[in-house]
Amino acid sequence: MLTETIEKKYLAAKEEYAALGVDTDEVLKKLADVKISMHCWQGDDVRGFMAPDQELTGGISVTGDYPGRARTPDELRQDLEKAYSLIPGKHKLNLHAIYVDTDEKIDLDEIEPKHYEKWVAWAKENGLGLDFNPTCFSHPNSADGFTLSSADKKIREFWIEHGKRSRKVAEYFGRELGEPCVNNFWIPDGYKDNPIDRLAPRRRLMEALDEVFAEEMDPRYTLDAVESKLFGLGAEAYTVGSHEFYMGYGLTRNKLVTLDAGHFHPTEVISNKLSSLALFSEGILLHVSRPVRWDSDHVVIMDDELQEIGRELVRNDLLGKTYIGLDFFDATINRVAAWVIGTRNTIKALLKAMLEPTEYLKKVELDGDFTKRLALTEELKDFPFGAIWDYYCAKSGVPVRAEWLKEVEQYEKEVLTKRN
Ligand code: RNT
Ligand code: ZN
């Protein structure tokens, strides 16, 4: 609720930022245009509805057993609605292929747009966009750790067919919803121990992807993206789809290159890659995530890297060619809260970046005044950014500060705990 206190604090903060040359009203307008693609898979621990009892594989892992996991598409949508109601702005939902909503018994090489019709109807009702992902894991045909790069032609063909069909679904989403559906390809393929042949699987992957992408799709409806990874659980020594592989693939085939914040060496950050990639790539898809030791998928917090990602996108004017998605899964905490925390933080990091007098700071840098650059960027950290964020939440009709948690707690009591 927009109270007098919130408004008063906003007006005071607005003045402080105006003194720096930053127009906070303009910033909030710009912020409202940014869509975050919230990932459906935080809601049910990456199980999906095609074969929910199938073990999660592919070198990713969800730990925890917090009560209330969504078990049906309706439950997942109910949880998503709760989460979106606590997040300012209009956003997107990122679906994985295994989240079919149909009574038909189908496999991944049989998916069609009609199996996702209910999601589209729901997205329309809720004013949401949709993104998509072929699911190349948690399936008997990925059991030996290889999918599109498998040496077994039959296995490869199964995944090629799945990939082709995923693009039809993505195109359908984009056409129905009037905004491009980003279709992201991530495969887990790799070896636990040192391989002899690193090249052949990569060549097979390249050729398989070329088959998947052979048909041209209208970019107004769907855009393909390819996601790299350094290693996965059980694929520690070698991952076929490495960063160099997909950099090369994406740049030569005009695909979006996906950067997942958790898919690099521990001290390597994606914020420092954006400006380079942006010079050459068709576009970028982000998987905003948080790596912690072996895990690449902790809930996103307001850490230095998140803020640096926000700054790089804003300072370099990259929001137009960057699609921002989230990718984390934690089953030790309330799953709706996980979504809200990660998504609010991502938006908040962008807001923080937009509140910077970037042009002035660029000039200071060009003048070679590095003392001033450091002094000002440090002083900026104490500016009343929270007052702008509170006002934005209140104006957008979502709870201010930790008020949202009360709603999640109530929802847990009334809905989630009754599921077990
Ligand atoms: C895995 C990738 C991938 C998945 C999702 C479920 O390491 O990050 O994006 O997390 O597709
Ligand atoms: Zn990812």
Side-chain angles (χ1 to χ4, degrees):
M1 221 202 355
L2 186 52
T3 62
E4 233 172 86
T5 327
I6 292 174
E7 195 145 24
K8 232 170 86 192
K9 283 191 181 162
Y10 173 72
L11 291 174
K14 182 180 150 108
E15 249 177 70
E16 283 194 54
Y17 281 106
L20 295 176
V22 176
D23 181 339
T24 55
D25 291 334
E26 277 306 308
V27 163
L28 293 185
K29 259 191 230 148
K30 227 169 88 185
L31 187 63
D33 284 339
V34 183
K35 293 194 179 203
I36 308 294
S37 189
M38 210 166 78
H39 54 313
C40 72
W41 52 92
Q42 165 63 63
D44 76 330
D45 312 340
V46 208
R47 289 182 194 229
F49 308 117
M50 198 175 266
D53 295 329
Q54 154 80 44
E55 182 204 353
L56 175 62
T57 68
I60 52 180
S61 169
V62 180
T63 50
D65 194 18
Y66 202 85
R69 173 177 63 79
R71 297 156 307 178
T72 63
D74 283 330
E75 286 182 355
L76 186 56
R77 283 189 283 263
Q78 189 186 9
D79 295 352
L80 284 162
E81 281 174 32
K82 188 77 224 171
Y84 285 119
S85 77
L86 305 173
I87 295 163
K90 273 287 161 202
H91 300 284
K92 289 177 108 179
L93 174 69
N94 197 3
L95 279 178
H96 240 286
I98 47 174
Y99 288 79
V100 282
D101 188 353
T102 174
D103 294 331
E104 272 179 64
K105 263 297 315 120
I106 47 159
D107 203 348
L108 289 168
D109 61 345
E110 298 166 326
I111 58 166
E112 288 178 51
K114 67 175 182 199
H115 302 125
Y116 303 88
E117 269 168 2
K118 288 191 199 152
W119 283 109
V120 168
W122 176 80
K124 283 181 184 167
E125 267 165 43
N126 288 273
L128 296 163
L130 286 177
D131 291 317
F132 201 59
N133 305 259
T135 308
C136 301
F137 51 84
S138 301
H139 190 279
N141 283 346
S142 68
D144 70 351
F146 285 83
T147 63
L148 281 174
S149 75
S150 170
D152 181 338
K153 189 156 181 270
K154 272 226 175 69
I155 298 283
R156 249 178 8 254
E157 275 169 358
F158 174 86
W159 294 110
I160 289 170
E161 183 62 25
H162 176 53
K164 286 182 178 171
R165 283 170 180 263
S166 75
R167 296 181 77 222
K168 298 271 185 204
V169 175
E171 184 199 43
Y172 157 70
F173 285 176
R175 191 164 343 99
E176 288 292 320
L177 297 169
E179 63 181 311
C181 167
V182 177
N183 191 25
N184 181 52
F185 285 74
W186 171 73
I187 62 159
D189 302 26
Y191 284 120
K192 182 183 182 73
D193 223 328
N194 300 327
I196 305 299
D197 191 349
R198 287 187 161 87
L199 180 62
R202 290 187 168 137
R203 177 168 291 129
R204 286 194 294 266
L205 176 56
M206 177 181 75
E207 290 171 358
L209 287 172
D210 283 346
E211 274 192 59
V212 169
F213 297 135
E215 188 181 337
E216 287 279 336
M217 296 272 177
D218 191 329
R220 283 174 307 165
Y221 303 141
T222 183
L223 301 165
D224 304 298
V226 286
E227 178 179 8
S228 69
K229 195 171 183 177
L230 179 65
F231 79 92
L233 299 177
E236 288 85 2
Y238 169 74
T239 291
V240 183
S242 61
H243 183 51
E244 293 71 19
F245 177 89
Y246 282 123
M247 274 278 276
Y249 193 87
L251 296 184
T252 52
R253 270 73 168 179
N254 294 329
K255 301 298 176 197
L256 304 182
V257 175
T258 306
L259 296 178
D260 183 311
H263 286 191
F264 294 86
H265 283 280
T267 59
E268 193 179 356
V269 285
I270 64 165
S271 51
N272 191 24
K273 299 181 188 298
L274 294 168
S275 48
S276 302
L277 198 50
L279 286 176
F280 305 104
S281 77
E282 191 78 6
I284 299 168
L285 170 63
L286 296 187
H287 271 189
V288 182
S289 190
R290 176 167 55 108
V292 178
R293 307 194 192 284
W294 56 265
D295 179 51
S296 60
D297 300 291
H298 274 55
V299 178
V300 167
I301 60 172
M302 188 56 73
D303 57 11
D304 285 348
E305 172 60 358
L306 180 67
Q307 296 181 63
E308 199 60 19
I309 290 170
R311 285 192 285 261
E312 285 298 304
L313 294 177
V314 171
R315 285 175 179 168
N316 303 320
D317 200 15
L318 298 182
L319 285 167
K321 69 180 307 190
T322 309
Y323 299 83
I324 306 174
L326 305 178
D327 188 7
F328 48 79
F329 21 99
D330 187 341
T332 66
I333 60 173
N334 181 302
R335 295 171 185 80
V336 176
W339 269 323
V340 177
I341 293 166
T343 313
R344 279 175 71 123
N345 274 335
T346 305
I347 301 168
K348 215 191 286 185
L350 290 171
L351 170 61
K352 277 190 162 184
M354 288 176 181
L355 289 170
E356 177 191 87
T358 305
E359 287 318 306
Y360 178 66
L361 291 172
K362 281 186 182 165
K363 187 180 166 299
V364 168
E365 181 167 271
L366 275 182
D367 291 345
D369 195 343
F370 304 143
T371 310
K372 195 181 257 180
R373 180 180 66 183
L374 182 60
L376 292 184
T377 47
E378 285 305 295
E379 286 303 325
L380 265 174
K381 292 179 179 170
D382 300 325
F383 267 65
F385 137 84
I388 314 282
W389 170 247
D390 292 347
Y391 176 78
Y392 182 62
C393 287
K395 276 214 51 147
S396 311
V398 306
V400 172
R401 306 239 179 149
E403 283 298 307
W404 66 263
L405 184 57
K406 291 186 193 149
E407 290 203 31
V408 171
E409 283 167 348
Q410 198 185 337
Y411 184 73
E412 177 171 314
K413 218 183 332 151
E414 286 167 7
V415 180
L416 299 178
T417 51
K418 305 226 161 100
R419 282 184 189 163
N420 293 299

